[in-house]
Amino acid sequence: MSDADLPLSATPRTALHRMKEKGHRDRSALFDVLRASFVCHLGVLVDGCPMVVPTVYGFDDQHLYLHGSVASRSLTTGAEVCVTVTVVDGLVLARSVFEHGINYRSAMIYGSPRWVTDPDEVLHGLRTLTEHVAPGQWDYARQPNRKELAATALLALPLSEASVKTRSGPPDDGDSPDAARGHWAGELPLVARWQQPLTDPALPATVPVPAHVAARAGARVDGRR
């Protein structure tokens, strides 16, 4: 059995105390959420104060990779972190305001990230991150040189302690007394799609848009059809 087939850990931090039916213990559910987005929020204590930083990420079967400047306070504390990823799929508009909600997919990952120093893993992590955000770009663009690598901090956060929670479907008040009021209720789906590439004005007109970039125009950001 590979790491990808193992169930998610059950710890006091990952246990759901409310709406347990929306939780998922299979690791494939975590990967589904991670594949559907590319921006996470890194929560960490810096000098005793909470800091939540939006940043891009990449992942493999074992780690979530985060990167930034070696001078970044959020990446260099050595403290435990909580990383969240949220994908909004739409609004849930019920008959009463109290029952309104959101359809979503979310993941929370806890742990102590490791500063990656092995040169091969640094390149693996940066490639993983780049290819998750922009598939095909790692081999197309110039890869980082020694000076740029020295200025970059790469963290590897184990995927061993995580929780996944999702909601989908219509409002929950279809059989409530409010149903007799005759108000419309339902879902307002939200779908984000990549638009047509905009070429840098500094480029000569003869430079075409790479095929791996052009192919994403019109596609859903979350990878679904």
Side-chain angles (χ1 to χ4, degrees):
M1 178 181 292
S2 68
D3 290 336
D5 297 323
L6 296 174
L8 294 175
S9 58
T11 70
R13 293 193 293 195
T14 62
L16 298 180
H17 300 287
R18 296 183 61 254
M19 301 181 181
K20 296 181 180 180
E21 71 280 1
K22 293 181 172 60
H24 303 270
R25 301 279 359 130
D26 52 312
R27 190 171 294 263
S28 63
L30 172 62
F31 291 145
D32 286 344
V33 175
L34 295 180
R35 278 191 292 267
S37 185
F38 57 92
V39 174
C40 67
H41 285 82
L42 167 68
V44 62
L45 286 176
V46 178
D47 297 331
C49 296
M51 178 183 291
V52 179
V53 181
T55 184
V56 298
Y57 66 87
F59 68 98
D60 58 20
D61 287 350
Q62 296 181 316
H63 297 100
L64 187 82
Y65 287 104
L66 309 167
H67 83 306
S69 167
V70 292
S72 172
R73 292 189 300 163
S74 62
L75 297 179
T76 57
T77 65
E80 283 202 322
V81 303
C82 175
V83 172
T84 63
V85 177
T86 305
V87 181
V88 178
D89 292 319
L91 298 178
V92 181
L93 305 176
R95 288 123 181 117
S96 70
V97 173
F98 181 80
E99 296 291 343
H100 281 32
I102 294 177
N103 282 337
Y104 64 90
R105 291 164 278 163
S106 67
M108 300 181 71
I109 305 165
Y110 299 90
S112 298
R114 171 175 52 88
W115 190 315
V116 180
T117 57
D118 177 77
D120 290 337
E121 188 181 2
V122 169
L123 290 178
H124 165 74
L126 292 177
R127 180 186 182 110
T128 298
L129 193 153
T130 302
E131 287 297 295
H132 176 59
V133 175
Q137 195 67 10
W138 180 264
D139 290 328
Y140 179 80
R142 178 182 65 79
Q143 294 173 15
N145 58 37
R146 186 175 301 177
K147 181 179 179 180
E148 291 165 341
L149 290 173
T152 302
L154 179 70
L155 298 185
L157 177 64
L159 296 176
S160 55
E161 186 179 4
S163 66
V164 177
K165 193 174 180 181
T166 66
R167 190 208 186 279
S168 61
D172 296 327
D173 62 349
D175 57 355
S176 72
D178 287 322
R181 299 173 67 89
H183 291 165
W184 181 90
E187 303 169 62
L188 187 59
L190 173 64
V191 176
R193 294 186 182 274
W194 297 109
Q195 303 302 299
Q196 291 294 328
L198 301 176
T199 297
D200 184 349
L203 277 178
T206 55
V207 179
V209 177
H212 68 277
V213 175
R216 301 187 78 184
R220 289 181 55 151
V221 173
D222 64 6
R224 291 184 173 181
R225 295 185 180 274

